[in-house]
Amino acid sequence: GVDLLCLQFTLSSLDAKSVNISYVISQKGTLDDALETYIEEKYDVEFECLNNCNPMYGDIVDYTISCEYSPIIISNQTMEIKVKRYAVIGYYG
């Protein structure tokens, strides 16, 4: 049960971070290496752009963020928890 609770907490944390990340991407209006590095360092996640990585105003950017979880009981190996989200460029501006 402890692992399932920790997995749920990790997933909820990633979901909350994705809201902030989508806001940052939308505000900046671009997705370059500097912004990706900023996101990874500030939110302690691995960031990957999936689609439309050079967006223009009004475009939708598909991305994933992930982090690692080391289970206590259910596995001997580290697990990667990943969520896929979207950001609309200029939506919050």
Side-chain angles (χ1 to χ4, degrees):
V2 172
D3 278 331
L4 294 178
L5 183 65
C6 290
L7 282 170
Q8 181 60 42
F9 176 76
T10 303
L11 185 61
S12 294
S13 176
L14 281 176
D15 190 45
K17 290 176 183 181
S18 74
V19 172
N20 291 337
I21 290 169
S22 291
Y23 179 78
V24 169
I25 293 170
S26 179
Q27 259 195 333
K28 296 291 183 185
T30 185
L31 194 57
D32 55 10
D33 291 337
L35 183 59
E36 288 184 20
T37 301
Y38 169 79
I39 289 169
E40 290 181 345
E41 290 176 358
K42 177 160 175 83
Y43 297 102
D44 193 28
V45 295
E46 291 294 320
F47 180 89
E48 180 184 3
C49 180
L50 300 175
N51 190 14
N52 204 7
C53 298
N54 295 312
M56 301 196 57
Y57 186 81
D59 287 347
I60 297 174
V61 176
D62 302 353
Y63 67 90
T64 62
I65 55 172
S66 61
C67 66
E68 292 187 346
Y69 171 69
S70 298
I72 299 168
I73 297 172
I74 61 175
S75 178
N76 292 334
Q77 297 177 342
T78 302
M79 300 170 71
E80 181 181 32
I81 311 300
K82 184 182 286 193
V83 295
K84 180 180 180 182
R85 296 293 183 261
Y86 307 91
V88 179
I89 302 302
Y91 179 72
Y92 293 104

